[in-house]
Amino acid sequence: MQTPKDKLLWMYEKMVEIRNYEETMANVYLEGKLPPNIQAGLAFDIGSGPVPGEMHLAAGQEPVAVGICAHLKQDDTVVGTHRPHHFAIAKGVPLNPMTAEMFGKVTGLGKGKGGHMHLFDPVHKFSCSGLIGASLPPACGAGLAAKKLGKDWVAVAFFGEGAANQGAVHESLNLAALWQLPVIFVCEDNKWAISVPKTSATSIEWVADRASAYGMPGIKVAHNDAVEVYEAVAPAIARARSGKGPSLIEVKTDRYLGHFQGDPEVYRPKDEVTNLRKNDPIPKLAAQLKSAGQMTDAEEAAIVARARQRVADAFAFARKSDYPAPQEALQHVFA
């Protein structure tokens, strides 16, 4: 298929925005967490600084999010993982309240009480979870709702290859196929489940090969390429919207950063990330657009400037926002 120019430019701008967001967060997250700003004897304090708690970033994995979300509409549902920002940004979740949520501010999506692994935006039909494999059951629920309402909405469940062996994953695949739900299951295969390589945890090379066991198509995307993802997922989206049921897609992608910020990454070969970055999908798409006469240097500069400004504005908004009042500690939470 021929990818429309407007989709190509949108994917490029969103990838630039996501990368800049993740790199900015990587720096901001470390503020106040390292010596000499923390308790003596500690090497790292996860609770200190403006962004407390764990932080999982997705630099390098942008093509998976934009290639799929470029097909989606406002009424479609996306359920992300514990590494959720690229999905959220690609789905249209506003940066200001999303960032404020991670800062623990009252202007956040969850009034500052959920943090980065519990982003929830009902307007843009996005949510995520810190539980491994937990994205699939809610996506099935959204797919069932769409089917019962007679809508052509689809639901997308993203999960990592490390989650592929969880029971909830298999239960969801089976249920979606049995009930012919409009769900797209997307496995982001970045080769590492925390510090465990895929080869040590999964008996097959492609998780997508399991699709046939559930009676649904399995689609393999071998390269970390936004256009390749966009074109590969199109039949699955069309299938779901037309009431023909779910599909399982697996994309080979790259995780440039650690499992979490502060991860010493001693399990990785020393030159792995350097080699991965040689095939960075963002400059690759820029070169493709320029060679095809679909983007000039001036247009690229404008795109990058816009994306960076949105990110800068979001972090400024989060920093200046207020924290929740102490008397609100038990409001807007589940117990």
Side-chain angles (χ1 to χ4, degrees):
M1 65 179 291
Q2 185 68 34
T3 307
K5 178 182 176 180
D6 64 322
K7 294 292 186 183
L8 290 168
L9 291 172
W10 179 88
M11 288 193 290
Y12 179 68
E13 184 159 347
K14 281 297 163 186
M15 285 205 293
V16 171
E17 182 177 326
I18 293 165
R19 179 68 60 81
N20 187 247
Y21 189 91
E22 299 290 72
E23 291 178 342
T24 301
M25 180 57 79
N27 291 325
V28 172
Y29 177 76
L30 290 178
E31 291 179 13
K33 287 185 171 62
L34 302 172
N37 299 312
I38 60 176
Q39 180 180 335
L42 291 181
F44 184 84
D45 186 353
I46 195 172
S48 297
V51 183
E54 282 196 291
M55 180 60 60
H56 309 84
L57 300 178
Q61 299 180 197
E62 299 89 355
V64 188
V66 302
I68 289 166
C69 289
H71 286 282
L72 302 184
K73 302 183 294 186
Q74 176 90 6
D75 287 323
D76 296 328
T77 294
V78 167
V79 188
T81 68
H82 60 282
R83 196 180 308 282
H85 310 153
H86 52 325
F87 310 130
I89 293 171
K91 187 57 170 69
V93 175
L95 292 188
N96 282 15
M98 185 178 91
T99 309
E101 181 62 28
M102 296 181 228
F103 275 69
K105 300 300 184 69
V106 73
T107 52
L109 291 169
K111 299 186 182 298
K113 298 175 181 178
H116 106 103
M117 287 188 283
H118 304 95
L119 303 175
F120 181 70
D121 184 353
V123 173
H124 295 88
K125 299 180 79 169
F126 176 84
S127 65
C128 61
S129 172
L131 299 178
I132 302 302
S135 59
L136 286 80
C140 287
L144 179 61
K147 186 170 184 175
K148 286 188 172 292
L149 291 170
K151 303 293 186 179
D152 69 345
W153 305 338
V154 303
V156 181
F158 291 97
F159 64 103
E161 88 290 340
N165 302 317
Q166 291 279 29
V169 172
H170 297 276
E171 293 166 3
S172 298
L173 290 168
N174 181 64
L175 188 70
L178 185 66
W179 290 354
Q180 291 292 280
L181 301 180
V183 183
I184 315 298
F185 299 103
V186 182
C187 178
E188 264 192 317
D189 183 356
N190 64 23
K191 300 174 285 295
W192 290 104
I194 306 181
S195 59
V196 178
K198 183 181 180 182
T199 53
S200 296
T202 301
S203 61
I204 54 176
E205 181 182 357
W206 285 93
V207 172
D209 284 338
R210 293 176 175 172
S212 60
Y214 296 101
M216 68 177 72
I219 299 171
K220 303 174 182 178
V221 182
H223 304 106
N224 194 31
D225 182 281
V227 176
E228 191 171 330
V229 174
Y230 178 85
E231 295 180 353
V233 78
I237 298 286
R239 171 183 165 84
R241 290 204 194 282
S242 63
K244 296 179 181 177
S247 299
L248 174 60
I249 298 164
E250 182 175 3
V251 183
K252 302 287 190 182
T253 189
D254 299 321
R255 192 188 83 195
Y256 291 167
L257 303 174
H259 168 67
F260 58 90
Q261 292 309 103
D263 179 0
E265 299 184 73
V266 294
Y267 52 87
R268 279 182 138 175
K270 293 185 182 298
D271 59 349
E272 180 179 273
V273 174
T274 299
N275 290 329
L276 292 177
R277 285 183 180 273
K278 292 177 182 178
N279 294 308
D280 192 321
I282 297 178
K284 179 180 177 180
L285 181 55
Q288 179 180 333
L289 288 167
K290 289 179 183 179
S291 66
Q294 295 174 310
M295 183 175 71
T296 64
D297 288 340
E299 288 170 333
E300 179 187 17
I303 286 171
V304 171
R306 285 198 303 268
R308 289 180 174 174
Q309 189 61 56
R310 287 194 295 271
V311 172
D313 290 345
F315 278 85
F317 174 83
R319 286 186 187 275
K320 71 181 181 183
S321 293
D322 294 327
Y323 287 103
Q327 58 267 31
E328 297 175 358
L330 300 181
Q331 296 178 14
H332 314 110
V333 295
F334 289 107

